[in-house]
PDB file of all heavy atoms in Angstrom:
ATOM      1  N   SER A  70      12.389  37.867  -7.708  1.00 98.00           N
ATOM      2  CA  SER A  70      13.239  38.948  -7.069  1.00 98.00           C
ATOM      3  C   SER A  70      14.463  38.395  -6.372  1.00 98.00           C
ATOM      4  O   SER A  70      15.290  39.039  -5.778  1.00 98.00           O
ATOM      5  CB  SER A  70      12.359  39.746  -6.027  1.00 98.00           C
ATOM      6  OG  SER A  70      11.402  40.530  -6.591  1.00 98.00           O
ATOM      7  N   SER A  71      14.535  37.183  -6.285  1.00 97.00           N
ATOM      8  CA  SER A  71      15.753  36.397  -5.630  1.00 97.00           C
ATOM      9  C   SER A  71      16.149  36.935  -4.297  1.00 97.00           C
ATOM     10  O   SER A  71      17.192  37.428  -4.181  1.00 97.00           O
ATOM     11  CB  SER A  71      17.025  36.439  -6.540  1.00 97.00           C
ATOM     12  OG  SER A  71      16.768  35.709  -7.693  1.00 97.00           O
ATOM     13  N   PHE A  72      15.123  37.012  -3.407  1.00 95.00           N
ATOM     14  CA  PHE A  72      15.481  37.382  -2.041  1.00 95.00           C
ATOM     15  C   PHE A  72      16.616  36.740  -1.406  1.00 95.00           C
ATOM     16  O   PHE A  72      16.832  35.453  -1.516  1.00 95.00           O
ATOM     17  CB  PHE A  72      14.253  37.210  -1.043  1.00 95.00           C
ATOM     18  CG  PHE A  72      13.378  38.357  -1.124  1.00 95.00           C
ATOM     19  CD1 PHE A  72      12.778  38.810  -2.310  1.00 95.00           C
ATOM     20  CD2 PHE A  72      12.930  39.007   0.078  1.00 95.00           C
ATOM     21  CE1 PHE A  72      11.876  39.932  -2.309  1.00 95.00           C
ATOM     22  CE2 PHE A  72      11.955  39.997  -0.002  1.00 95.00           C
ATOM     23  CZ  PHE A  72      11.390  40.359  -1.114  1.00 95.00           C
ATOM     24  N   THR A  73      17.468  37.397  -0.707  1.00 94.00           N
ATOM     25  CA  THR A  73      18.497  36.780   0.179  1.00 94.00           C
ATOM     26  C   THR A  73      18.139  37.199   1.665  1.00 94.00           C
ATOM     27  O   THR A  73      17.037  37.961   1.751  1.00 94.00           O
ATOM     28  CB  THR A  73      19.798  37.159  -0.124  1.00 94.00           C
ATOM     29  OG1 THR A  73      19.973  38.552  -0.065  1.00 94.00           O
ATOM     30  CG2 THR A  73      20.307  36.642  -1.503  1.00 94.00           C
ATOM     31  N   GLU A  74      18.829  36.873   2.656  1.00 92.00           N
ATOM     32  CA  GLU A  74      18.585  37.146   3.918  1.00 92.00           C
ATOM     33  C   GLU A  74      18.580  38.685   4.067  1.00 92.00           C
ATOM     34  O   GLU A  74      17.725  39.270   4.830  1.00 92.00           O
ATOM     35  CB  GLU A  74      19.505  36.533   4.881  1.00 92.00           C
ATOM     36  CG  GLU A  74      19.079  36.644   6.312  1.00 92.00           C
ATOM     37  CD  GLU A  74      19.631  35.470   7.261  1.00 92.00           C
ATOM     38  OE1 GLU A  74      20.209  34.568   6.569  1.00 92.00           O
ATOM     39  OE2 GLU A  74      19.360  35.480   8.452  1.00 92.00           O
ATOM     40  N   GLY A  75      19.408  39.429   3.462  1.00 90.00           N
ATOM     41  CA  GLY A  75      19.482  40.879   3.592  1.00 90.00           C
ATOM     42  C   GLY A  75      18.172  41.474   3.081  1.00 90.00           C
ATOM     43  O   GLY A  75      17.638  42.350   3.796  1.00 90.00           O
ATOM     44  N   ALA A  76      17.809  41.076   1.934  1.00 91.00           N
ATOM     45  CA  ALA A  76      16.512  41.576   1.357  1.00 91.00           C
ATOM     46  C   ALA A  76      15.325  41.344   2.372  1.00 91.00           C
ATOM     47  O   ALA A  76      14.492  42.070   2.609  1.00 91.00           O
ATOM     48  CB  ALA A  76      16.197  41.077   0.072  1.00 91.00           C
ATOM     49  N   SER A  77      15.382  40.204   3.024  1.00 90.00           N
ATOM     50  CA  SER A  77      14.249  39.819   3.965  1.00 90.00           C
ATOM     51  C   SER A  77      14.328  40.792   5.230  1.00 90.00           C
ATOM     52  O   SER A  77      13.283  40.891   5.794  1.00 90.00           O
ATOM     53  CB  SER A  77      14.516  38.380   4.342  1.00 90.00           C
ATOM     54  OG  SER A  77      14.577  37.467   3.281  1.00 90.00           O
ATOM     55  N   VAL A  78      15.518  41.255   5.667  1.00 88.00           N
ATOM     56  CA  VAL A  78      15.540  42.092   6.726  1.00 88.00           C
ATOM     57  C   VAL A  78      15.409  43.567   6.407  1.00 88.00           C
ATOM     58  O   VAL A  78      14.606  44.155   7.021  1.00 88.00           O
ATOM     59  CB  VAL A  78      16.933  41.986   7.356  1.00 88.00           C
ATOM     60  CG1 VAL A  78      17.180  42.957   8.533  1.00 88.00           C
ATOM     61  CG2 VAL A  78      17.283  40.444   7.953  1.00 88.00           C
ATOM     62  N   PHE A  79      15.872  43.903   5.267  1.00 91.00           N
ATOM     63  CA  PHE A  79      15.710  45.303   4.941  1.00 91.00           C
ATOM     64  C   PHE A  79      14.501  45.676   3.934  1.00 91.00           C
ATOM     65  O   PHE A  79      14.360  46.828   3.601  1.00 91.00           O
ATOM     66  CB  PHE A  79      17.083  45.848   4.352  1.00 91.00           C
ATOM     67  CG  PHE A  79      18.210  45.714   5.293  1.00 91.00           C
ATOM     68  CD1 PHE A  79      19.271  44.819   4.956  1.00 91.00           C
ATOM     69  CD2 PHE A  79      18.322  46.398   6.588  1.00 91.00           C
ATOM     70  CE1 PHE A  79      20.266  44.635   5.912  1.00 91.00           C
ATOM     71  CE2 PHE A  79      19.353  46.197   7.396  1.00 91.00           C
ATOM     72  CZ  PHE A  79      20.309  45.363   7.045  1.00 91.00           C
ATOM     73  N   GLY A  80      13.805  44.597   3.485  1.00 94.00           N
ATOM     74  CA  GLY A  80      12.836  44.872   2.603  1.00 94.00           C
ATOM     75  C   GLY A  80      13.226  44.586   1.177  1.00 94.00           C
ATOM     76  O   GLY A  80      14.448  44.597   0.851  1.00 94.00           O
ATOM     77  N   GLY A  81      12.270  44.280   0.292  1.00 96.00           N
ATOM     78  CA  GLY A  81      12.651  43.786  -0.917  1.00 96.00           C
ATOM     79  C   GLY A  81      12.549  44.936  -2.041  1.00 96.00           C
ATOM     80  O   GLY A  81      12.670  44.525  -3.247  1.00 96.00           O
ATOM     81  N   GLN A  82      12.434  46.067  -1.700  1.00 97.00           N
ATOM     82  CA  GLN A  82      12.360  47.126  -2.653  1.00 97.00           C
ATOM     83  C   GLN A  82      13.434  47.192  -3.732  1.00 97.00           C
ATOM     84  O   GLN A  82      13.221  47.257  -4.916  1.00 97.00           O
ATOM     85  CB  GLN A  82      12.203  48.559  -2.054  1.00 97.00           C
ATOM     86  CG  GLN A  82      12.159  49.728  -3.127  1.00 97.00           C
ATOM     87  CD  GLN A  82      11.741  51.032  -2.344  1.00 97.00           C
ATOM     88  OE1 GLN A  82      10.680  51.208  -1.965  1.00 97.00           O
ATOM     89  NE2 GLN A  82      12.556  52.029  -2.495  1.00 97.00           N
TER      90      GLN A  82
END
Side-chain angles (χ1 to χ4, degrees):
Chain A
S70 290
S71 291
F72 271 55
T73 56
E74 193 150 356
S77 307
V78 174
F79 301 113
Q82 173 168 302

